[in-house]
């Protein structure tokens, strides 16, 4: 249950939502524009697989981004990261050929990989345990909204000028946001607009075992903790769904379902809208279970398991004879993914100390993006031979394995 003690921390999470919107808008523009870009630039499916793979290679360096944020702090560190990814996004409008796109996608992934570690560090510092789930769900809504805005932005840019304009607009918005973040953000201990009552509430309701320590995060020590593997491996298996929706769904709708750019703009945002609801559903399930006496970690594991069961609907996308039934199943997949994804991501703030949470979240993010990389490269290499159906079946069952791992490896804190 949310407390009425102060509200400024919710303003801070609202500001961070803007970063997540911009982050996923910037990365989603390419996927939406892919049917136009691939035809114009004569880029094959295999080459497009390498382009999306380059992004995942960059994002896999999330541990470095998390370590940077833990070391420098969120105010300066995240402002730099957003400014860098915004400039790289704008540069997409200047390149030609698959290799140029691949190089920029690698740089974009490196900078954008800071978003989830930053979000977990923000949630850990500003929210007690009973509020972290809903706070994490709220900021992850930004991810879905960014993907929702990408289809109409690309359609508008193509009508007004070209697909290149969409990258310039997305990058320009990010530069403006980075300045606003630097001017308005600070930690709870230093923020001048935070009331003393709310500051005391935040600090007094943090778990003592998770208090920040003076030393920098020990990466090797973190890598030996089974808790880290308990959240990293489920992300390895879960995140390919988001890669499918962001990078491959527009191509699937165009080449398999016969959608044109206008229809893609009309329908491709719907799975991400469903994902927004999943961002709130997962934390709501956790809160419901906690009110009935279930431990926080167990409640998160049950919410993940429920999302994994819902995800089995993705297995039937390729077999749907009606294209709108396929869209509905993709919406179910988006909802299920964010239900379980927000849940497992938030576990980092429940298990790791404040001075290491961004690093731990980044290491788990490395695993998640490795899953997207392997999936994307496999899809690019094999889709012309075997079609999309086997990949949808795989996405439908992988999270069940992730649920087993989560229950096996993650231990409740003592």
């Amino acid at each position: 249950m949310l407390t009425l003690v102060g509200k400024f921390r919710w303003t801070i999470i609202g500001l961070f939502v803007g970063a997540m919107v911009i982050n996923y808008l910037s990365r989603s523009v390419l996927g939406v524009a892919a049917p136009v870009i691939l035809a114009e630039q004569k880029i094959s499916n295999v080459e497009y697989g390498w382009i999306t793979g380059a992004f995942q290679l960059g994002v896999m360096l999330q541990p470095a981004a998390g370590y940077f944020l833990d070391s420098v702090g969120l105010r300066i560190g995240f402002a730099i990261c957003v400014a860098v990814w915004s400039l790289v996004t704008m540069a997409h409008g200047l390149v030609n050929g698959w290799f140029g796109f691949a190089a920029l996608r690698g740089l974009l992934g490196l900078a954008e990989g800071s978003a989830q570690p930053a979000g977990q560090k923000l949630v850990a510092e500003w929210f007690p345990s009973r509020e972290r789930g809903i706070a994490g769900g709220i900021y992850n809504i930004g991810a879905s909204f960014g993907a929702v805005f990408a289809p109409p932005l690309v359609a508008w840019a193509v009508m007004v000028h070209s697909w290149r304009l969409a990258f310039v607009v997305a990058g320009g918005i990010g530069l403006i946001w980075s300045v606003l973040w630097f001017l308005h953000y600070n930690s709870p201990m230093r923020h001048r607009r935070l009331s003393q009552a709310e500051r005391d509430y935040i600090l007094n309701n943090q778990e003592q075992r998770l208090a920040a320590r003076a030393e920098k995060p020990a990466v090797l020590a973190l890598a030996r903790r089974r808790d880290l593997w308990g959240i990293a491996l489920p992300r390895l298996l879960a995140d390919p769904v988001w890669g499918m929706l962001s990078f491959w769904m527009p191509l699937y709708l165009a080449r398999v379902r016969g959608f044109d750019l206008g229809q893609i703009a009309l329908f491709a945002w719907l799975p991400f809208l469903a994902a927004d609801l999943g961002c709130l559903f997962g934390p709501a399930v956790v809160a419901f279970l906690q009110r009935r006496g279930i431990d926080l970690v167990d409640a998160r594991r049950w919410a993940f398991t429920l999302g994994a069961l819902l995800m089995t609907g993705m297995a039937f996308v390729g077999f749907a004879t009606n294209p709108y039934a396929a869209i509905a199943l993709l919406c179910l997949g988006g909802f299920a993914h964010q239900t379980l994804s927000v849940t497992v991501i938030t576990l980092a703030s429940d298990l790791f100390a404040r001075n290491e949470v961004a690093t731990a979240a980044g290491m788990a993010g490395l695993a998640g993006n490795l899953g997207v990389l392997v999936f994307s490269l496999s899809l690019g290499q094999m889709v012309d031979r075997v079609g999309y159906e086997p990949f949808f079946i795989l996405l439908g069952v992988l999270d069940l394995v992730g649920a087993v791992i989560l229950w096996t490896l993650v231990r409740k804190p003592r």
Side-chain angles (χ1 to χ4, degrees):
M1 184 178 296
L2 300 183
T3 179
L4 297 179
V5 179
K7 60 181 181 180
F8 188 74
R9 63 192 179 282
W10 300 103
T11 302
I12 291 294
I13 208 71
L15 177 63
F16 191 80
V17 167
M20 295 299 288
V21 171
I22 296 164
N23 183 285
Y24 280 82
L25 174 64
S26 299
R27 71 174 66 182
S28 298
V29 167
L30 178 66
V32 177
V36 177
I37 295 175
L38 268 60
E40 177 188 306
Q41 301 285 315
K42 296 180 173 58
I43 296 173
S44 68
N45 280 334
V46 173
E47 291 168 338
Y48 183 63
W50 284 110
I51 291 171
T52 58
F55 177 85
Q56 297 310 137
L57 284 172
V59 177
M60 282 169 57
L61 296 176
Q62 272 191 359
Y67 188 88
F68 173 68
L69 294 171
D70 277 333
S71 301
V72 176
L74 279 179
R75 181 170 181 251
I76 296 175
F78 195 50
I80 292 173
C81 291
V82 178
V84 170
W85 91 48
S86 299
L87 291 171
V88 173
T89 299
M90 297 175 77
H92 280 63
L94 303 175
V95 299
N96 293 290
W98 77 269
F99 186 80
F101 279 106
L104 285 177
R105 295 309 281 185
L107 292 174
L108 184 67
L110 175 62
E112 287 201 337
S114 61
Q116 280 293 352
Q120 282 305 293
K121 189 172 181 66
L122 181 76
V123 167
E125 290 183 351
W126 280 85
F127 293 89
S129 61
R130 71 173 69 93
E131 296 177 350
R132 281 186 215 124
I134 189 64
I138 289 172
Y139 88 68
N140 272 286
I141 285 177
S144 305
F145 267 118
V148 165
F149 294 147
L153 172 62
V154 172
W156 168 81
V158 170
M159 288 188 294
V160 172
H161 183 267
S162 72
W163 54 266
R164 299 179 188 272
L165 178 62
F167 288 105
V168 174
V169 171
I173 295 171
L175 285 177
I176 294 171
W177 189 93
S178 67
V179 174
L180 293 175
W181 175 263
F182 181 76
L183 293 176
H184 293 287
Y185 180 79
N186 218 321
S187 68
M189 291 294 293
R190 298 179 179 178
H191 210 296
R192 296 179 180 179
R193 293 180 59 191
L194 183 65
S195 70
Q196 188 59 46
E198 188 171 6
R199 181 179 289 109
D200 291 342
Y201 170 79
I202 294 170
L203 298 178
N204 293 338
N205 285 280
Q206 298 279 12
E207 301 95 324
Q208 190 58 40
R209 63 182 174 78
L210 299 179
R213 295 183 285 273
E215 66 268 18
K216 291 184 178 181
V219 176
L220 292 179
L222 287 174
R224 290 193 293 267
R225 287 180 56 175
R226 60 183 288 165
D227 283 344
L228 180 68
W229 290 101
I231 63 175
L233 293 177
R235 289 200 61 186
L236 173 76
L237 301 173
D239 282 17
V241 169
W242 200 255
M244 163 60 80
L245 295 176
S246 299
F247 302 134
W248 291 95
M249 181 178 66
L251 276 178
Y252 170 74
L253 294 178
R255 294 181 174 177
V256 177
R257 298 295 178 174
F259 284 27
D260 59 27
L261 185 60
Q263 290 173 307
I264 291 173
L266 191 61
F267 291 104
W269 58 275
L270 290 174
F272 300 104
L273 180 62
D276 285 337
L277 300 177
C279 287
L280 299 178
F281 181 69
V285 170
V286 172
F288 173 84
L289 294 174
Q290 280 192 282
R291 287 196 297 270
R292 280 147 184 82
I294 296 178
D295 178 81
L296 174 62
V297 171
D298 281 345
R300 295 213 196 280
R301 291 194 283 205
W302 279 117
F304 185 98
T305 304
L306 177 59
L309 292 171
L310 293 173
M311 183 59 71
T312 57
M314 280 284 280
F316 301 98
V317 172
F319 300 105
T321 56
N322 187 305
Y324 303 108
I327 290 287
L329 289 170
L330 288 168
C331 289
L332 177 61
F335 176 84
H337 174 73
Q338 287 298 75
T339 294
L340 61 87
S341 180
V342 166
T343 300
V344 73
I345 288 171
T346 306
L347 268 170
S349 62
D350 300 322
L351 299 171
F352 297 94
R354 301 291 165 257
N355 63 304
E356 61 188 17
V357 63
T359 305
M363 294 171 75
L366 184 155
N369 286 285
L370 175 61
V372 180
L373 173 64
V374 173
F375 179 85
S376 189
L377 291 179
S378 301
L379 186 56
Q381 295 287 334
M382 298 179 63
V383 68
D384 290 331
R385 296 196 295 272
V386 302
Y388 286 88
E389 288 82 358
F391 294 96
F392 284 122
I393 294 172
L394 190 64
L395 294 177
V397 301
L398 283 177
D399 287 320
L400 295 174
V401 181
V404 173
I405 293 172
L406 191 64
W407 281 98
T408 303
L409 292 184
V410 173
R411 291 174 172 171
K412 288 185 285 188
R414 296 177 179 177

